[in-house]
Amino acid sequence: MKVLKFGGTSVANPENINKVKSIVQSSSKEKLAVVVSAFGGITDILLNTLQQASEQDDVYKSGLEQIEQRHIEVIKALIPVHNQSAILSKVKSALNILETLLEGSFLIGEITPKLSDKIVSYGELLSSYIISEFFKAEGLDATFNDSRELIITDNSYGKAIVNFEKTNANCKEYFESDQHQIHILPGFVASSNDGNSTTLGRGGSDYTAAIVAAAADATLLEIWTDVSGMYTANPRLVKQAKCVTHISYEEAMELSHFGAKVLYPPTIQPVLGKEIPIVIKNTFSPDDEGTLITKNTNGGGKTVRGISHVGNISLLSLEGPGMIGIPGISKRFFETLSLENISVVLITQASSEHSICVGIADEDVDRAVETVNEAFEYEMARKKIKPVIVEKDLTIVALVGDNMKSHQGLSGKMFSTLGKNNVNIRAIAQGASERNISVVIKKADVKKALNSLHEEFFEENIKQLNLFVMGVGNVGSKFLNQIRQQKKYLKDELQLNVRVIGISNSRTMAFDENGIDLNEWEAVLGKGEKADKENFFDKVNELNYRNSVFVDNTASDEVANSYPNYLKNSISVVTCNKIACSSDYTLYRELKQLAKKYNAPFLFETNVGAGLPIIDTLKNLIASGDKVNKIQAVLSGSLNFVFNNFNDEVTFHDVVKQAQEEGYTEPDPTIDLSGIDVMRKILILARESGNQLDIEQIENEAFLPQESLDTNSNEAFFESLKKHENGFQELFKQAKDADSKLKYVAQFENGKAKVGLQKIPKGHDFYNLEGSDNIVLFFTERYPNQPMIIKGAGAGADVTASGIFADIIRIGNF
Ligand code: ADP
Ligand code: ASP
Ligand code: MG
């Protein structure tokens, strides 16, 4: 004999019930017990309706109507017309009793557990009856049997305890005597010794099926549901979760105990002793392999088999000096909880014996606090024990696997993965079987925790990076295009799944939790909501994705000021905006420290020399123990362009104008021409070499007349250039006479930095610098005479975008 159980979704409507019929028909021709749940959602509606009735709220009647409609709809769709009236009248008379029971609750204004079980049992009683009539009408050799006549329990309504002796005897007798091939049974329901309806706990139809399978010595228990087996994590929360094809009873029990709802935890117990295999299959994809649960598995070569989580948990801690070394406190504590029928999901005790901490369901917490405080009143009054401390709204996340005991370092890996993602761990427990390591975390962090643990333990190869990009102008749009083009390469070759989740310009912002389609980001952004930097941050924080990266492609100081918020939430920051690193030294230090403390890289390679690997090289030199003695550099693409094109045949004004028009200068050209931009860059290099320096300390030998520097509009600035043309021509002439070229040079030596225009003689490394190229010479202890030189295009949207890209990849490898 075989037992098949179909869950709520599998029997939610006529179409699904037809699928169930096909599965049953194509099953073996041996005797089958088919256990069914209530039609999907009906149990919840019944419980809600009862709640409303007991609150004397008239709306309960609409719940009742809904229940009636759902059942009648199924009958009309599945049962041939000539059979319908008998079945309809039976169902209606059951619904009349249900109505009377609800009316009773309405009139008295009360629910009792006994009444609740009586009412909720109608879900399974009706579904199983209707399905059995449908099967018969379809010519199957089927019969209905009321599980309440087979499964006998005590009268702990809501989650009754099974009397296996009576139940096993009843089942044996029934299945031996009834010769139909298919036996349809309602799941979830049972009856007490004195004949009242009881239930086996929410999700309990799985348990019904297991009880019947064990009692009737079935060869197999099939659980048919709406997923293709037991997954490495809840597939609704972790998209990458995979089906575990073979798992042990203990592993399955542990996973379900910690929240893998696909199997009701007590289900394993009855079949375990008889070693009846369980298979979990998908009603909507019956050809999928599913999960086989048996006694021994080889663990599939894996240590961690699954990650599960239970929500709505509170931590209850009892602590105080009076607990140390005194035997019996734990015993009293647990006894007190047990007498109140409060089940403890997780236990930790500090090794100092100074505190005991347990995880219990949120709904039990008020009762628990009251009863524990009462039980330890004497000790609390004498300050030997503090009043119980409670923390609510938590979730337990557990790693489960039979082979975990023989592997070291799993908990370390678990904690560091959570730590890197800024998930705070409130408590830790490891079962004595070492089959399970559990942590208690905040509810808001669950999705992130599950996904980052899943990535760590099951997707060793692929890492997901979630980008939030602010600024999609020249550089930002190029950057998005580069990511679009390289997406496949990144995945295939670097095992990085780079997704852009949010984008913003100064007008609008848009988010897509599944990743914005980068072919359409402009349209998506166009339809976005009004841009707001604070709301943008709030959204990034609220989404709470693992490996989140904030990318700043703006030149805004407001955006730069928001970096600490990102870093403090373990969100990495990549920026081409120089403001943060070149303003106050304390801000620069703070950002570096936050990055370290919160394990979130803060990268700004493009602040100096666009895409050239200048800062990264400097970091590597320093990390390997080198020391920078001197830096000499030409760092302004704009000024290079200007001085490479300026001569005695053109005017300085026209060249600067051209540079501005071709996008080689900032919109305000004085930022480049005054040397401020170069000062910022050498400042950053000096700081990155380990020096404490501020921009005011940098000497700037300005070549622009003060009058030009003081102008307050672009027009006035260009006018003043015209006026001083002679002076510029004089600079050119002096250089030409000395067989030199004019270059705007930055220098750092002996703790001092300066920038200014210099005449560079032939043969010097800077002499042949073309176009907008940058060059940096690092004189270090290892490169004392012949410096390390980095040279190449140091300006332009494309190379800047690729520099940002390189920082993103660095984070991917972090
Ligand atoms: P049924 O009504 O068929 O009994 P349930 O809703 O009780 O179905 O259980 C199936 C659901 O369990 C899935 O839809 C899924 O959301 C949830 N679930 C939680 N954890 C897991 C897991 N590790 N593997 C598979 N499903 C899981
Ligand atoms: N119908 C019950 C519930 O929803 C039992 C089950 O489906 O397993 O909890
Ligand atoms: Mg279920």
Side-chain angles (χ1 to χ4, degrees), residues 5 8 37-38 43 124 188 201-206:
K5 178 260 171 177
S37 286
T43 307
E124 266 71 8
F188 185 50
R202 292 304 308 267
S205 296
D206 297 340

Side-chain angles (χ1 to χ4, degrees), residues 391-527:
E391 214 177 324
K392 292 189 190 172
D393 280 334
L394 301 170
T395 293
I396 301 177
V397 172
L399 295 187
V400 171
D402 281 344
N403 292 342
M404 281 168 55
K405 55 179 170 297
S406 48
H407 276 77
Q408 282 151 353
L410 287 175
S411 43
K413 207 161 156 190
M414 181 184 199
F415 305 152
S416 73
T417 304
L418 294 174
K420 260 190 211 166
N421 282 286
N422 200 25
V423 175
N424 188 17
I425 301 174
R426 303 289 314 110
I428 298 166
Q430 175 161 24
S433 66
E434 293 188 51
R435 190 175 286 122
N436 161 339
I437 308 172
S438 328
V439 294
V440 182
I441 62 172
K442 267 195 323 220
K443 184 171 156 193
D445 286 332
V446 173
K447 198 169 171 196
K448 180 161 72 170
L450 290 176
N451 279 282
S452 43
L453 291 172
H454 196 269
E455 191 169 86
E456 183 67 36
F457 290 99
F458 294 102
E459 306 158 43
E460 276 132 56
N461 294 329
I462 296 268
K463 181 166 181 179
Q464 186 180 86
L465 291 180
N466 294 301
L467 309 190
F468 297 88
V469 181
M470 189 167 281
V472 288
N474 228 348
V475 171
S477 60
K478 292 250 156 61
F479 169 65
L480 292 178
N481 287 339
Q482 289 179 6
I483 294 194
R484 178 174 52 81
Q485 279 164 11
Q486 287 306 99
K487 209 169 161 55
K488 189 167 172 342
Y489 176 87
L490 291 174
K491 207 163 189 171
D492 295 348
E493 302 298 323
L494 302 183
Q495 278 73 45
L496 290 178
N497 177 16
V498 179
R499 312 189 310 159
V500 177
I501 307 291
I503 45 179
S504 176
N505 59 19
S506 54
R507 293 174 302 282
T508 50
M509 60 186 196
F511 295 86
D512 184 339
E513 296 184 23
N514 297 314
I516 292 169
D517 177 355
L518 293 181
N519 290 306
E520 306 204 335
W521 67 264
E522 276 150 313
V524 174
L525 186 58
K527 283 191 233 122

Side-chain angles (χ1 to χ4, degrees), residues 5 7-8 37 203-206 225 261-264:
K5 178 260 171 177
S37 286
S205 296
D206 297 340
T225 180
K261 182 187 168 218
V262 63
L263 202 63
Y264 182 53

Side-chain angles (χ1 to χ4, degrees), residues 315-324 326 328-337 347-350 352-359 368-381 384-391:
L315 278 182
L316 204 68
S317 311
L318 191 67
E319 51 181 74
M323 289 173 58
I324 302 171
I326 299 179
I329 295 228
S330 312
K331 180 169 172 271
R332 273 170 64 202
F333 181 62
F334 288 109
E335 248 168 26
T336 308
L337 293 173
I347 307 169
T348 60
Q349 174 164 27
S352 69
E353 296 183 51
H354 190 73
S355 77
I356 318 173
C357 174
V358 294
V369 171
E370 201 177 314
T371 176
V372 173
N373 281 344
E374 228 166 70
F376 291 92
E377 202 178 356
Y378 178 85
E379 288 85 351
M380 286 176 187
K384 292 199 176 305
I385 292 180
K386 295 187 202 157
V388 267
I389 303 162
V390 176
E391 214 177 324

Side-chain angles (χ1 to χ4, degrees), residues 504-676:
S504 176
N505 59 19
S506 54
R507 293 174 302 282
T508 50
M509 60 186 196
F511 295 86
D512 184 339
E513 296 184 23
N514 297 314
I516 292 169
D517 177 355
L518 293 181
N519 290 306
E520 306 204 335
W521 67 264
E522 276 150 313
V524 174
L525 186 58
K527 283 191 233 122
E529 55 193 293
K530 191 173 176 304
D532 180 294
K533 295 181 184 71
E534 273 168 35
N535 291 349
F536 191 86
F537 166 74
D538 289 343
K539 183 78 190 189
V540 179
N541 208 20
E542 180 192 309
L543 283 171
N544 205 4
Y545 280 127
R546 68 193 184 284
N547 308 327
S548 289
V549 185
F550 175 64
V551 183
D552 176 12
N553 297 317
T554 73
S556 147
D557 46 4
E558 230 180 292
V559 178
N561 286 334
S562 69
Y563 301 166
N565 289 343
Y566 286 97
L567 294 171
K568 279 180 196 162
N569 287 283
S570 292
I571 298 160
S572 309
V573 173
V574 169
T575 178
C576 62
N577 178 350
K578 287 186 260 307
I579 293 175
C581 288
S582 60
S583 54
D584 223 32
Y585 182 76
T586 43
L587 174 64
Y588 165 83
R589 275 303 311 155
E590 185 198 351
L591 292 170
K592 290 273 195 179
Q593 278 160 355
L594 289 176
K596 208 180 223 169
K597 178 164 174 201
Y598 292 97
N599 253 312
F602 168 48
L603 301 179
F604 42 88
E605 180 61 83
T606 47
N607 277 4
V608 182
L612 294 178
I614 296 175
I615 294 179
D616 196 49
T617 307
L618 183 53
K619 267 192 194 149
N620 289 338
L621 285 177
I622 306 235
S624 67
D626 204 351
K627 208 170 161 287
V628 175
N629 297 330
K630 182 162 88 175
I631 303 169
Q632 276 184 324
V634 176
L635 294 171
S636 169
S638 341
L639 287 171
N640 279 355
F641 180 90
V642 169
F643 288 107
N644 282 343
N645 288 292
F646 177 51
N647 55 45
D648 45 12
E649 284 163 23
V650 289
T651 66
F652 192 70
H653 165 275
D654 288 356
V655 176
V656 176
K657 192 85 202 164
Q658 187 193 350
Q660 189 204 30
E661 278 163 9
E662 291 186 16
Y664 284 108
T665 67
E666 302 274 331
D668 171 4
T670 55
I671 296 197
D672 293 304
L673 275 93
S674 65
I676 290 204

